[in-house]
Amino acid sequence: MYDQFPAIDATDTMAQVTLTIGNQAEIPSAELPHIFEKFYRVPNADPWKQGGTGLGLALVQRLVAQLEGVILVSSANGWTHFSIQLPIIEQQMVASDRSQLSPQSVSAPI
């Protein structure tokens, strides 16, 4: 029964954090190069089961790129896994960047 839920994993190394999520849906290998294109939807997929506009993965890819990371995808054996690798920024660098912000532009963490 656990196999029906998305699998989520997070790891970190000295230089990066990797977030991985998998779900029980396979994307044909011929479609993988296109899934990050805006408005792309896998042909022959049931639109009632696979809703959406085709913008989600394009937006995620742009956000990950803005954070200087990468997003990877693999799909086989009835499962699709997405991994997001983000660099770890040194704490000293973050602290110095915050000192340059005006008090009005600093927001509380969510």
Side-chain angles (χ1 to χ4, degrees), residues 16 25 29 43 45 89 102 110:
Q16 70 183 14
S29 59
I89 299 172
S102 66
I110 297 174

Side-chain angles (χ1 to χ4, degrees), residues 25-47:
E26 188 170 340
I27 300 170
S29 59
E31 305 302 326
L32 288 176
H34 305 288
I35 63 172
F36 294 104
E37 296 171 9
K38 287 190 270 185
F39 302 110
Y40 185 79
R41 299 192 54 189
V42 175
N44 302 324
D46 184 349

Side-chain angles (χ1 to χ4, degrees), residues 77-99:
N77 302 321
W79 281 84
T80 298
H81 291 90
F82 291 90
S83 294
I84 297 173
Q85 299 172 346
L86 300 171
I88 295 176
I89 299 172
E90 293 182 28
Q91 188 64 29
Q92 182 179 9
M93 182 183 207
V94 172
S96 67
D97 288 346
R98 284 193 179 176
S99 67

Side-chain angles (χ1 to χ4, degrees), residues 15-76:
Q16 70 183 14
V17 172
T18 302
L19 306 170
T20 302
I21 185 164
N23 69 342
Q24 204 168 8
E26 188 170 340
I27 300 170
S29 59
E31 305 302 326
L32 288 176
H34 305 288
I35 63 172
F36 294 104
E37 296 171 9
K38 287 190 270 185
F39 302 110
Y40 185 79
R41 299 192 54 189
V42 175
N44 302 324
D46 184 349
W48 297 106
K49 289 182 180 177
Q50 307 296 328
T53 61
L55 282 174
L57 289 174
L59 291 172
V60 169
Q61 185 182 43
R62 292 245 174 128
L63 176 60
V64 169
Q66 284 292 108
L67 296 171
E68 298 180 12
V70 294
I71 183 168
L72 308 168
V73 62
S74 64
S75 192

